Structure formats: C-alpha cells, structure tokens
Amino acid sequence: MATNFRNNVTKNIGTVPVSVYTAPISIYSTVVGLVLANLTESVVKASVTLTATPDSVTGFIVKDVLIAPNSSLRVLNSGEKLIVASQNSLNVKCNINDSLDCVLSYVEIT
C-alpha cells in the first residue's frame, strides 16, 4: 500500500459551493488540515460540507462560522482528522463572492 501526502489549494471561493476535494474511486483519504482564509475587509460566514455517495447525502462539518477580516480559520484542530470515503467530496462556500481561499492537506492510501 502506498501512502501519498498531498495539498490542494482552491482560490476565490464564493456563494456557490465548490468541491475542494473528491476522493478517487477505491481510495480512502484522511484530511489532516483544512484552513480557510478570508481575503476581504468584511466578516465572512463560511460553511464546509461532506457529501457522501451514492446517496448524495450532505452533512455540515461547520456551518456559517464567522471568519474575521483578513484572517484565517483552522477547521481541523489539535490533531483532528476527517476520513473521506471513496467518491465522497468536501465542499466549501461562503456568503460573499470571491472571498475565501482554502488549503487542504490530506493523505491518500492506495
């Protein structure tokens, strides 16, 4: 089994949910870091969801969390981890267009 450490950067997230990561077929992933950065001079409300397939059931990781102007939020803290099963996806959105950057660190085991 190979272990692959990876990062994914998604820029300028806005009011439409954006998939920041979808686990490939037959691969389980562990998210070890998830940071949201507010790029604006305003408070931003951000939400992170996990969508499970094949049922397309979506649940919130965080919902409408406030991020201060020009600051960031560590969604996972103190060694927390999030398992993303095969073909499941993490999605991010906020209340202001083009206002968030997302940096995701994860491990894929193949």
Side-chain angles (χ1 to χ4, degrees), residues 14-75:
T15 58
V16 176
V18 174
S19 176
V20 296
Y21 178 71
T22 300
I25 294 173
S26 301
I27 293 179
Y28 284 76
S29 303
T30 302
V31 176
V32 295
L34 179 57
V35 179
L36 302 176
N38 180 354
L39 308 173
T40 70
E41 299 290 329
S42 303
V43 173
V44 170
K45 287 196 288 189
S47 296
V48 178
T49 59
L50 178 66
T51 301
T53 57
D55 303 327
S56 295
V57 175
T58 299
F60 284 95
I61 309 294
V62 293
K63 184 177 188 299
D64 293 335
V65 64
L66 300 177
I67 305 174
N70 298 309
S71 65
S72 62
L73 169 72
R74 296 178 67 99
V75 176

Side-chain angles (χ1 to χ4, degrees), residues 2-3 5-6 9 22 28 36-37 47 57 65 74 76 81-82 85 99 107:
T3 302
F5 294 87
R6 303 189 189 277
V9 177
T22 300
Y28 284 76
L36 302 176
S47 296
V57 175
V65 64
R74 296 178 67 99
L76 299 177
K81 294 171 185 61
L82 177 65
S99 60
V107 179

